[in-house]
């Protein structure tokens, strides 16, 4: 792929999140020696040009036109670039032909997918072809699931250094978060529920923490769906809406890397509230909200927070690794900006650039499996995330 016209094509660049990616690539890399050659892509050239001009990007920023429903269009686009970065979701509605084209042409691919049933289908359909062509198909390259996938990886690295072995159990706990879920996340959940109504087998995928581990069945896992008081943290924990996808990606990374965390590894995710009766009520309310997490008026794709809201967002995630002698190790991943948009647009951009410099083999994988600590380094250097042992 060394003779391609572009390094990265941002597909969906006229949409809300796609614009943020384009803005980040321009602002962060303009004039740098390591700046990638990138282009904006979508189905309407006039709209792309309008967005480019509205954002104040250079008038010579390349535009690529491709219809997600036209296999010839997406294949032609893939042949022009090393990496396709796509924000066009729900991916189960708009992603099939693009993944197929990338696997066929050997083009790397990264997205923001949090749709495990579709991901499992793509692994089965295109995994072998992607291995043969050298394409790295990298799902879930935003807030779901990079801070969690890489957070567990770095926690286990610290556990091996401290305990001499990986932790058999790690708890992921969201301590604080300010920001909104994206309209794309809401639309993806809605599309998944509609698909499950037509195909009950999808429910089994959603329930199985090892659904993306291609036949591997590990030990029973904590559900994370029942509010509980965590004695060692002194706070109540509540269900976390993104846990069903994040936990699957964590287990997939472990599987793809040959189980460095062990085949008996347990992992769950929850959100911390506060101590006492108030914390219990908050946790119970959060559990009730899981039945309808976005309320009567879910955010629509293409909608999002203001720049001030994005800039003032943040997240703080604690990982607790349980050592062999009852000692716990605390590891934290923290990020600036709204997690669903401001930070996500940075994370997927750095994943795409990381793929340009990676010698990982082709296949369908995760940011952790393909890039690992190299992506941690990129995120700390460029995207204002921090990864560190706390105690």
């Amino acid at each position: 792929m060394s003779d391609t016209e572009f390094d990265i094509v941002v597909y969906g660049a006229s949409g809300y999140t796609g614009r943020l990616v384009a803005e980040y690539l321009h602002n962060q890399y303009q004039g740098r020696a390591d700046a990638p050659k990138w282009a904006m892509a979508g189905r309407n050239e006039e709209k792309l040009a309008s967005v480019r001009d509205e954002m104040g990007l250079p008038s010579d920023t390349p535009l690529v036109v491709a219809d997600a429903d036209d296999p010839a269009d997406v294949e032609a686009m893939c042949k022009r670039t090393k990496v396709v970065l796509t924000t066009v979701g729900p991916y189960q509605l708009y992603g099939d032909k693009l993944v197929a084209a990338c696997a066929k042409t050997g083009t790397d691919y990264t997205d923001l997918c949090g749709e495990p049933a579709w991901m499992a289908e793509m692994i089965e359909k295109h995994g072998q072809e992607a291995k043969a062509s050298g394409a790295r198909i990298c799902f879930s390259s935003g807030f779901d699931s990079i801070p969690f996938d890489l957070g567990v990886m770095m926690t286990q690295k610290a556990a091996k250094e401290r305990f001499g072995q990986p932790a058999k159990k790690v708890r992921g706990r969201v301590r604080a978060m300010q920001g909104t879920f994206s309209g794309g996340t809401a639309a993806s959940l809605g599309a998944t529920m509609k698909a499950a109504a037509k195909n009950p087998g999808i429910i089994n995928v959603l329930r199985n923490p090892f659904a993306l581990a291609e036949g591997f069945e590990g030990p029973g896992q904590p559900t994370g769906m029942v509010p509980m008081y965590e004695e060692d943290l002194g706070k109540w924990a509540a269900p976390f809406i993104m846990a069903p996808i994040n936990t699957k990606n964590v287990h997939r990374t472990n599987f793809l890397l040959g189980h460095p965390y062990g085949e008996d590894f347990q992992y769950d995710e929850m959100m911390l509230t506060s101590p006492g009766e108030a914390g219990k009520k908050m946790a119970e309310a959060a559990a009730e909200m899981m039945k309808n997490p976005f309320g009567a008026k879910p955010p629509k794709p293409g909608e999002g927070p203001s720049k001030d809201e994005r800039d003032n967002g943040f997240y703080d995630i604690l990982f607790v690794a349980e050592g062999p002698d009852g000692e716990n190790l605390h590891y934290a991943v923290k990020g600036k900006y709204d997690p669903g948009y401001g930070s996500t647009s940075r994370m997927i951009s750095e994943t795409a650039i990381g793929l340009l410099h990676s010698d990982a083999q082709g296949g369908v994988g995760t940011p952790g499996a393909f890039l690992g600590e190299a992506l941690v380094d990129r995120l700390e250097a460029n995207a204002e995330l921090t990864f560190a042992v706390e105690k």
Side-chain angles (χ1 to χ4, degrees):
M1 303 296 290
S2 60
D3 58 350
T4 57
E5 187 178 353
F6 307 113
D7 293 322
I8 299 169
V9 163
V10 180
Y11 191 55
S14 60
Y16 187 93
T17 306
R19 291 185 189 207
L20 296 179
V21 169
E23 182 180 57
Y24 176 77
L25 289 172
H26 173 69
N27 292 344
Q28 187 72 12
Y29 285 94
Q30 184 185 29
R32 284 174 47 166
D34 60 346
K37 296 181 295 179
W38 64 279
M40 299 172 64
R43 65 171 63 204
N44 186 307
E45 186 170 11
E46 286 185 8
K47 188 172 183 181
L48 286 168
S50 174
V51 167
R52 177 191 63 191
D53 297 343
E54 178 187 317
M55 293 173 66
L57 299 180
S59 59
D60 60 354
T61 302
L63 307 179
V64 175
V65 178
D67 186 334
D69 292 328
D70 187 328
D73 260 16
V74 293
E75 188 171 325
M77 176 177 70
C78 289
K79 289 178 178 178
R80 298 175 68 183
T81 186
K82 294 184 180 74
V83 182
V84 173
L85 182 166
T86 175
T87 62
V88 182
Y91 296 96
Q92 61 196 280
L93 301 181
Y94 305 114
D96 287 28
K97 294 178 178 62
L98 183 52
V99 171
C102 285
K104 178 180 178 181
T105 59
T107 306
D108 290 342
Y109 166 104
T110 184
D111 71 13
L112 300 172
C113 186
E115 304 162 45
W118 180 77
M119 292 159 66
E121 182 184 343
M122 293 298 101
I123 291 167
E124 184 176 353
K125 280 187 176 180
H126 303 297
Q128 291 305 314
E129 186 175 21
K131 286 180 182 177
S133 72
R136 281 82 61 94
I137 308 297
C138 191
F139 297 131
S140 305
S141 303
F143 186 62
D144 52 336
S145 300
I146 281 178
F148 305 91
D149 183 19
L150 296 183
V152 171
M153 176 177 287
M154 297 304 290
T155 300
Q156 290 287 35
K157 179 184 179 183
K160 285 183 225 174
E161 291 171 355
R162 181 175 296 183
F163 307 135
Q165 62 188 57
K168 290 188 175 182
K169 183 175 182 179
V170 173
R171 286 175 280 155
R173 296 295 182 260
V174 180
R175 288 190 290 202
M177 184 171 74
Q178 181 166 306
T180 55
F181 291 106
S182 72
T185 297
S188 293
L189 181 61
T192 296
M193 292 301 99
K194 288 179 182 177
K198 296 178 182 177
N199 178 9
I202 289 175
I203 297 296
N204 294 329
V205 175
L206 299 178
R207 287 176 176 166
N208 180 6
F210 300 100
L212 302 181
E214 300 180 64
F216 173 78
E217 288 294 335
Q221 301 289 309
T223 67
M225 297 303 292
V226 179
M228 58 185 288
Y229 184 71
E230 307 225 273
E231 293 281 352
D232 60 325
L233 302 179
K235 292 183 178 181
W236 281 85
F240 178 50
I241 188 173
M242 301 175 94
I245 179 60
N246 293 336
T247 52
K248 290 176 178 59
N249 279 320
V250 167
H251 286 299
R252 178 155 177 76
T253 292
N254 189 34
F255 167 79
L256 290 172
L257 295 179
H259 293 104
Y261 315 155
E263 293 191 4
D264 56 350
F265 175 62
Q266 291 185 306
Y267 175 68
D268 72 306
E269 285 176 9
M270 301 183 80
M271 286 191 73
L272 296 178
T273 58
S274 59
E277 194 62 28
K280 181 180 181 182
K281 288 181 178 178
M282 289 170 63
E284 290 172 343
E288 188 65 26
M289 281 180 61
M290 289 288 285
K291 298 176 182 177
N292 184 20
F294 300 110
K297 293 184 178 180
K300 297 177 182 177
E303 294 180 351
S306 68
K307 185 178 186 306
D308 281 348
E309 289 171 326
R310 294 196 307 269
D311 288 350
N312 290 319
F314 62 87
Y315 49 92
D316 175 355
I317 306 160
L318 171 69
F319 296 91
V320 181
E322 300 184 5
D325 298 321
E327 179 192 355
N328 284 350
L329 179 149
H330 286 197
Y331 196 96
V333 177
K334 300 178 183 180
K336 284 186 66 176
Y337 309 110
D338 169 86
Y341 296 97
S343 189
T344 278
S345 58
R346 289 163 168 79
M347 285 189 273
I348 192 173
S349 298
E350 292 300 333
T351 300
I353 297 171
L355 288 169
L356 294 173
H357 302 287
S358 171
D359 58 2
Q361 298 298 303
V364 180
T366 61
F370 283 136
L371 301 176
E373 287 189 53
L375 183 54
V376 172
D377 293 342
R378 296 203 66 87
L379 295 173
E380 289 197 309
N382 298 298
E384 299 188 71
L385 275 76
T386 61
F387 294 76
V389 173
E390 281 196 345
K391 71 173 187 176

